[in-house]
Amino acid sequence: METNAHKEHLKDFQESKDAAKKFLAEGFGPLIKKVFFQPLELNQEFKQPDAQVKTTVLVLLTGILFTFLPYLLVGSARRFLGFRFFLQIGIAVMIALIFIGLLTWCIKKIHHKQVEFQNELLTGALCALPLIVLLIVICLLQLFFSGHNYLGGFSSFFSGSWSTIFSVYAFFLMITICFQSLRSVFIKANTAWYLSPAIVMLGFYMAIKIVQWA
């Protein structure tokens, strides 16, 4: 019995691994294009029966990138900040994405009882795409413009820098993703318009608090 269960577990793991590879090779690029160039057509994404692979890959990829890219690019500052600081950034971003999905699921569950929790986490996972692009843009600024402060790109919100502009764009794109997710179960547009920014802001707020308490 244990041998058969172990074999089934290995088989499921291999299938998930193959599905993740297929998504990265064939589905990742088209999904990015859809998020950035067809954001008002995303509601169809939330009606697909199985989104676990997309969700897992996007959340983990975001956490890894937000941990290691900043660590590699801050240069000598890493001696003072330590790896734990950057690990907390990566964990906080993953927690925020999960909370966005959780909050969206709670709202959609009240309105439409048949929604599945695992599928609704896709809302947070899709919010990872604007964050990944934002991170890459800031890293490129750090590489090609020596005067650009990497960490300042996140903290000096009203500085008028390019990183601030892209941060605002990423924030509004995440709101659009949440809006389309809520609209996929026919929540009223006016209600979704108010709830979407609240979901994004509350998700990041809760993630920051959890990391601070840890």
Side-chain angles (χ1 to χ4, degrees):
M1 292 290 293
E2 292 183 1
T3 303
N4 291 334
H6 181 66
K7 288 181 178 178
E8 288 293 330
H9 179 72
L10 289 176
K11 182 180 178 181
D12 292 341
F13 176 78
Q14 186 62 41
E15 289 178 353
S16 299
K17 185 178 178 181
D18 292 340
K21 289 181 178 179
K22 183 178 180 180
F23 168 65
L24 285 172
E26 302 176 8
F28 187 70
L31 189 59
I32 289 180
K33 291 180 180 178
K34 189 169 186 178
V35 168
F36 281 90
F37 298 106
Q38 297 172 302
L40 298 182
E41 299 176 16
L42 285 172
N43 54 4
Q44 296 300 321
E45 287 291 328
F46 304 105
K47 297 178 181 179
Q48 296 182 8
D50 186 8
Q52 295 180 38
V53 172
K54 292 180 183 178
T55 300
T56 304
V57 171
L58 289 173
V59 171
L60 289 178
L61 179 62
T62 307
I64 292 170
L65 290 177
F66 269 85
T67 299
F68 288 99
L69 283 184
Y71 180 76
L72 294 173
L73 289 173
V74 294
S76 59
R78 71 171 68 99
R79 292 183 299 174
F80 305 101
L81 296 171
F83 181 73
R84 185 174 183 271
F85 172 79
F86 299 97
L87 182 61
Q88 286 179 321
I89 293 177
I91 292 174
V93 173
M94 288 193 294
I95 292 174
L97 296 175
I98 293 172
F99 264 111
I100 289 172
L102 175 62
L103 293 169
T104 307
W105 173 77
C106 290
I107 294 171
K108 293 170 76 170
K109 188 71 174 178
I110 294 171
H111 184 268
H112 189 73
K113 297 184 182 299
Q114 294 181 352
V115 295
E116 297 292 335
F117 173 70
Q118 292 177 334
N119 289 341
E120 295 312 317
L121 287 179
L122 180 63
T123 304
L126 290 182
C127 288
L129 294 175
L131 292 177
I132 290 174
V133 173
L134 171 64
L135 177 65
I136 292 173
V137 168
I138 294 178
C139 289
L140 291 174
L141 290 173
Q142 174 72 13
L143 285 173
F144 294 105
F145 300 96
S146 58
H148 179 77
N149 182 358
Y150 176 87
L151 296 175
F154 294 103
S155 61
S156 54
F157 189 78
F158 295 103
S159 65
S161 65
W162 281 107
S163 57
T164 301
I165 294 172
F166 281 104
S167 298
V168 173
Y169 179 74
F171 175 70
F172 280 109
L173 195 51
M174 286 188 286
I175 291 175
T176 302
I177 291 169
C178 291
F179 179 83
Q180 291 297 315
S181 178
L182 295 177
R183 290 290 291 153
S184 68
V185 293
F186 305 105
I187 292 176
K188 292 182 179 179
N190 289 332
T191 303
W193 188 85
Y194 281 104
L195 288 175
S196 299
I199 290 172
V200 175
M201 290 187 290
L202 187 58
F204 278 94
Y205 173 79
M206 295 173 73
I208 292 171
K209 288 299 182 182
I210 290 174
V211 171
Q212 287 177 341
W213 291 335

